[in-house]
Amino acid sequence: MPDRSGPSEHQQRRRSRRPARRWSAPALVVASGVTLGLSACTGGSGAPADAAPSPTGLVAAVSAGQSDCGAGWSGGTAGTWRIDATNTSTGGMDVVVADAATDMTRAREYLELEAIGPGGAAGGEVTLGPGSYRVVCVQADEEPVLGPVVRVTGALPAGTTATPGIVPITQADLVPAVKHYESWVAAHLALLSRQVRTLDDDVARGDLAAARRDWLTAHSTYGTLGGAYDAFGDLGDAIDGLPATGSTALTDHDLTGFRRAEALLWAGRPASAVRPVTRALVRDVAALRSGFPTAQVDPTDLGIRAHEILEDAVQVQLSGAADGPSGTTLAEVRAGVVGTGAPLDALRPLLKARGVDLSDVDDALATLDHTLQGYDHDGRWTPRTDLTTAQRERLDAEVDTCVERLATVAALADPRRAL
Amino acid sequence: MTHADPDTTAASTSTSTSTAAGPAAGPGRRTFLRSVAGAAGVVGLGTLAPRGAGATTAPATTAPTDDAARAVVFHGPTQAGILTPLQKHAAFLALDVTAGSRAELEELFRTLTDRVRFLTTGGTPAGAGPGAPPVDSGVLGPDVVPGGLTVTASVGASLFDDRFGLADRKPARLRPMDTFPDDALDRARCDGDLLLQVCADDVDVVVHAVRDIARATRGAMQVRWRQDGFASPPRPSGTPRNLMGFKDGTANPSTADPRAMRDVVWTKAGPVAAVDGLPAVVEPAWTTGGSYHVVRLIRMLVEFWDRVSLHEQENMIGRRRDTGAPLTGTHELDDPHLERDPTGDVIQMDAHIRLANPRSPGSDRLRMLRRPYNYDAGTDANGNLDMGLVFVAFNQDLDRQFVAVQKRLAGEPLVDYISPFGGGYYFALPGVRAADDWYASRLLA
């Protein structure tokens, strides 16, 4: 059995990117179980001994428990505050500094101190302009506890800007976005399924020139689905796995899917050698399509997918790891741009309603897309390896710009509990 | 023997070297022209004080490293990292600009200025808030320490091509790095639109700065090549040693001597008279306070070098390995007095120090300010050690100084043991003068 640890390790790592704890009850139980014994040692309240003073000397040591949430902070002057929160409860706690809004579900959050164990403390810095704020203490399965309203007065010191606040996006908020994205995926799976049948038909009648063309069409559609980002598990590997370490797609006889078909088609192998591969591809895509409705997209994944499909482009495509004999790596990157747009568009109404300006993200994606289209000569793509140094640097810079900006989308779209 | 001048250290050499052959001819280690006088030459000189012990040149001395709060002043008419005493760690990054317009290029320089101003001053990074990843990598803890950081920004010839309309502002001598006869250049590791020389007391400070700058400028410039370096501490004293085991940089002019720096390091706008066969040129108006910044990546074939006798090594260099003294002297800072050894009885005619600095009338014009780092980059495919020198020199006039010396060194015996593989010619920008100034403000004005 060839070693396929390369790609799957890669995918495993990305799956575990988010701290599982955020508002998630099962993980919370584990966290409190582990840390329970510590509360006796670390005592109740007070700032941790190693808390760093904020540069302007604005420091608050606050309690974060069910009954004393926010005690210890009575507000003060505008500027950069160091907030040290000590969890005085017996369970894990998340502490938020937010606007003191009349409707706390619309309050902006300025500082999150997450997953503080019982008796534990955590601190952070936040620059607050004049206004009314409060500490909110959030435990799983409990209503958020609102701390007292405090006032921050005066103007921010010159040269400082207030920490940008965010209005949380909740799991419930994400439901329509996920539905929107799922229907997009379903439609593209239907398209993919037609396209791999066309590919298989080409091979069946021995028209390998048409097969090479239709291979690219189908592979590009697959690339828009975020399949590289382990959306589809084992079926994803069967459909688009890379050859095992130490082998090529031509020498790895256990390899199936697009990469194997590509190797055979571009090596001039007879249709009879290609057919079993394309037939299996049709079957695997059909299985993926029929299984998709039950394998729903996790709301947490939506923002991550908007960000990380192009992280894959950096690590897998632009690194050359996915270069195949068709020389269409840049077409894969372009498919990733399209695939990024789908979850981004699904999130767009939520972000827009919260005043998030996506124009810099849109500009970066449009610039990259335009550059990539320049390498598409009526279906014949410039091989990645043919790029000049200047072309490669420009492409790298444009993809880098996209992932830097999309990282913010992932952070914003991370589901949070309403306060 | 007698000495009229106690600072004179080589008076006796001519009487003790008569058995040696004349000038060593031709390159290569197999010359066997052993000039054996060195040891005899120092007899009786042991009581002499090192000459000019108090005038050790600044870059030859490594900077103190025990104070993370040590900040090197960022603002000034010239950049830091040139006369600054050598910090222990360095990264050299050559970058190509991917910004698409002159406006974007200006934005790049402004961003770079902001980052470097913050990183060299230190402080607490502003919070990004919950809606974004952290602003800072955290490598230096919650508060960024300056750690003796300097970031010296220089421009390469390719920045002056047709992309940004800067062709008429190119420093007069700037061009892609020449290929010298003994070079084995990989052009992918040469040149670049920009060079950032990042130096600090600790390696984590260098790494943090590189990461911070790269993140802030990702869309506008891309790394073309990178080489990291380190400065050895004095062993046991004096100028730090290179990886051939020899002190390297002894003959540097003193950075404490403003007149020397004016003549050696800083370029001045305006006409440059013809000299040493070079044509007269005019340096553009913005160049005052800048300097031609030469970086050469030179692999040392250290396994081969270690299989060469000490005597042969010292003859190739012209200095003692243990003390750094010229073969005609006793102490590191002794004058080699080449004029008393005109036929190379002691210091071979093709010894490195004689070729590099003949100390003859007019040869003052060849002096440059070297600021070298050692590099250690693991092993090559055959398991041989990949280590050597990041040669760094600042020059008022590229051709009059570095290039002229490099031509003099062509074919020196040392070339068998080194392999220059990369680097470039750059022009260090004038300094960022105040909080409202930025790198290249006058170049782009």
Side-chain angles (χ1 to χ4, degrees):
Chain A
M1 188 67 193
D3 168 24
R4 301 194 185 281
S5 63
S8 53
E9 259 174 25
H10 176 72
Q11 291 154 358
Q12 288 279 329
R13 190 177 71 239
R14 315 168 128 253
R15 279 252 133 177
S16 58
R17 161 183 155 163
R18 293 278 145 174
R21 197 205 163 273
R22 188 190 287 272
W23 319 123
S24 154
L28 175 70
V29 172
V30 173
S32 45
V34 168
T35 53
L36 204 60
L38 291 178
S39 54
C41 310
T42 53
S45 61
D50 59 350
S54 99
T56 48
L58 300 171
V59 182
V62 305
S63 297
Q66 286 292 331
S67 58
D68 59 359
C69 180
W73 187 35
S74 50
T77 59
T80 300
W81 282 78
R82 166 96 199 167
I83 308 279
D84 290 301
T86 300
N87 179 2
T88 55
S89 79
T90 54
M93 185 71 76
D94 290 333
V95 175
V96 175
V97 174
D99 277 329
T102 43
D103 173 9
M104 283 306 288
T105 63
R106 308 297 302 164
R108 284 188 174 272
E109 298 183 0
Y110 298 94
L111 177 68
E112 290 175 342
L113 303 171
E114 291 183 283
I116 309 175
E125 295 198 343
V126 57
T127 303
L128 297 174
S132 299
Y133 301 92
R134 73 186 346 152
V135 173
V136 183
C137 302
V138 189
Q139 277 185 298
D141 305 324
E142 302 280 354
E143 283 296 304
V145 180
L146 305 182
V149 174
V150 301
R151 289 201 57 78
V152 168
T153 56
L156 282 173
T160 56
T161 49
T163 301
I166 61 159
V167 179
I169 292 176
T170 65
Q171 291 263 10
D173 292 335
L174 284 166
V175 169
V178 168
K179 288 261 176 282
H180 181 278
Y181 180 62
E182 281 174 346
S183 65
W184 186 91
V185 172
H188 281 74
L189 281 174
L191 178 64
L192 175 67
S193 148
R194 290 194 296 278
Q195 289 170 341
V196 291
R197 279 201 306 273
T198 304
L199 165 64
D200 187 47
D201 291 346
D202 294 337
V203 177
R205 64 169 197 280
D207 187 350
L208 297 186
R212 284 189 284 270
R213 185 192 66 226
D214 291 327
W215 175 91
L216 176 61
T217 306
H219 192 234
S220 297
T221 297
Y222 185 78
T224 65
L225 295 169
Y229 167 61
D230 196 31
F232 306 132
D234 289 346
L235 270 178
D237 282 344
I239 293 169
D240 200 36
L242 291 170
T245 307
S247 63
T248 68
L250 204 55
T251 62
D252 180 353
H253 294 280
D254 294 320
L255 183 68
T256 60
F258 280 110
R259 312 283 172 174
R260 179 70 176 164
E262 178 193 19
L264 298 171
L265 283 169
W266 267 267
R269 296 299 161 88
S272 59
V274 185
R275 187 73 206 287
V277 179
T278 55
R279 215 158 35 198
L281 183 58
V282 168
R283 275 198 310 272
D284 288 334
V285 169
L288 181 62
R289 195 182 166 199
S290 63
F292 179 71
T294 57
Q296 302 201 330
V297 175
D298 184 333
T300 306
D301 280 352
L302 208 51
I304 298 178
R305 200 169 294 196
H307 167 204
E308 291 196 359
I309 288 176
L310 283 181
E311 291 284 0
D312 257 339
V314 174
Q315 292 181 34
V316 181
Q317 276 88 33
L318 294 180
S319 70
D323 282 353
S326 68
T328 57
T329 302
L330 299 183
E332 276 185 65
V333 178
R334 172 136 204 268
V337 175
V338 175
T340 298
L344 186 62
D345 285 342
L347 289 167
R348 191 176 295 273
L350 291 174
L351 295 168
K352 200 176 166 192
R354 285 158 181 78
V356 177
D357 180 8
L358 288 174
S359 58
D360 65 338
V361 174
D362 292 335
D363 289 350
L365 287 168
T367 301
L368 172 60
D369 197 42
H370 181 261
T371 297
L372 288 166
Q373 286 185 53
Y375 296 121
D376 174 8
H377 317 284
D378 295 324
R380 284 186 307 103
W381 284 75
T382 302
R384 188 196 63 86
T385 47
D386 283 3
L387 297 179
T388 65
T389 300
Q391 287 173 326
R392 179 180 53 73
E393 288 173 338
R394 174 162 287 256
L395 182 59
D396 288 343
E398 290 176 359
V399 175
D400 285 352
T401 301
C402 287
V403 288
E404 286 288 344
R405 294 178 183 179
L406 287 164
T408 303
V409 171
L412 288 168
D414 202 2
R416 292 166 166 86
R417 261 178 68 178
L419 297 180
Chain B
M1 67 187 76
T2 58
H3 302 287
D5 175 1
D7 275 352
T8 302
T9 60
S12 65
T13 55
S14 63
T15 64
S16 57
T17 58
S18 51
T19 57
R29 60 173 301 219
R30 308 297 173 200
T31 54
F32 295 105
L33 296 173
R34 305 218 158 177
S35 124
V36 296
V42 300
V43 171
L45 298 178
T47 57
L48 295 178
R51 204 169 85 102
T56 306
T57 55
T61 311
T62 44
T65 60
D66 52 352
D67 182 9
R70 191 177 86 84
V72 179
V73 174
F74 174 65
H75 292 136
T78 58
Q79 285 196 74
I82 299 175
L83 307 191
T84 308
L86 203 62
Q87 300 100 319
K88 273 188 169 174
H89 301 278
F92 295 84
L93 284 90
L95 302 120
D96 286 328
V97 173
T98 52
S101 66
R102 184 131 159 196
E104 286 179 18
L105 179 65
E106 175 174 334
E107 193 184 324
L108 167 62
F109 278 119
R110 286 181 180 274
T111 302
L112 186 63
T113 307
D114 288 345
R115 294 321 304 155
V116 174
R117 183 184 284 122
F118 172 74
L119 293 167
T120 56
T121 308
T124 308
V135 166
D136 188 75
S137 64
V139 165
L140 299 181
D143 299 308
V144 170
V145 294
L149 178 72
T150 59
V151 179
T152 310
S154 303
V155 293
S158 51
L159 191 71
F160 299 87
D161 63 15
D162 56 3
R163 283 171 295 166
F164 306 110
L166 297 172
D168 60 348
R169 302 190 180 196
K170 187 163 71 69
R173 310 287 200 196
L174 197 59
R175 59 182 179 271
M177 188 166 72
D178 300 311
T179 304
F180 294 96
D182 304 307
D183 287 357
L185 299 179
D186 171 5
R187 278 284 159 190
R189 298 191 53 103
C190 293
D191 307 322
D193 293 339
L194 303 174
L195 178 84
L196 294 181
Q197 173 190 285
V198 182
C199 304
D201 297 337
D202 290 299
V203 74
D204 62 342
V205 175
V206 172
V207 167
H208 176 265
V210 166
R211 199 159 143 186
D212 182 284
I213 291 167
R215 182 180 181 187
T217 59
R218 255 188 237 300
M221 65 183 187
Q222 290 278 310
V223 177
R224 180 179 173 87
W225 58 261
R226 170 178 173 176
Q227 192 81 31
D228 290 358
F230 66 95
S232 302
R235 303 287 190 199
S237 61
T239 305
R241 293 176 187 273
N242 65 27
L243 296 178
M244 289 180 153
F246 282 76
K247 295 182 176 182
D248 193 345
T250 299
N252 250 348
S254 169
T255 55
D257 177 352
R259 175 180 288 187
M261 295 302 97
R262 191 194 64 202
D263 294 342
V264 170
V265 175
W266 305 120
T267 303
K268 286 187 289 287
V272 178
V275 64
D276 297 340
L278 297 168
V281 292
V282 178
E283 289 292 2
W286 66 273
T287 56
T288 296
S291 184
Y292 286 94
H293 189 176
V294 175
V295 176
R296 299 257 298 166
L297 311 180
I298 303 172
R299 183 169 174 189
M300 292 173 168
L301 311 178
V302 292
E303 287 93 346
F304 185 17
W305 182 252
D306 290 345
R307 290 188 277 265
V308 173
S309 77
L310 179 63
H311 190 75
E312 201 175 344
Q313 291 182 5
E314 291 181 337
N315 278 349
M316 280 188 262
I317 303 292
R319 290 186 181 277
R320 299 280 167 221
R321 192 175 76 165
D322 55 358
T323 60
L327 296 183
T328 49
T330 311
H331 301 290
E332 182 191 344
L333 298 176
D334 288 346
D335 187 323
H337 283 295
L338 298 171
E339 75 283 1
R340 299 181 193 169
D341 182 26
T343 55
D345 286 348
V346 178
I347 296 177
Q348 292 178 180
M349 297 309 285
D350 56 8
H352 183 77
I353 67 163
R354 186 187 286 266
L355 293 176
N357 186 352
R359 293 165 169 86
S360 56
S363 73
D364 258 15
R365 291 196 296 273
L366 297 172
R367 290 183 308 158
M368 59 190 119
L369 182 69
R370 284 171 291 156
R371 204 172 183 279
Y373 281 89
N374 300 321
Y375 85 82
D376 176 16
T379 52
D380 68 13
N382 294 325
N384 289 313
L385 298 167
D386 179 6
M387 57 174 64
L389 182 71
V390 182
F391 172 93
V392 181
F394 293 94
N395 306 260
Q396 180 181 64
D397 182 327
L398 174 68
D399 284 293
R400 192 197 80 212
Q401 297 164 277
F402 170 77
V403 173
V405 170
Q406 198 60 31
K407 286 177 177 167
R408 293 178 51 83
L409 291 173
E412 64 170 328
L414 198 57
V415 300
D416 288 359
Y417 305 91
I418 59 177
S419 182
F421 64 90
Y425 296 158
Y426 310 91
F427 190 81
L429 295 165
V432 175
R433 285 177 288 194
D436 61 350
D437 193 14
W438 42 281
Y439 286 128
S441 60
R442 277 158 287 161
L443 165 60
L444 296 179

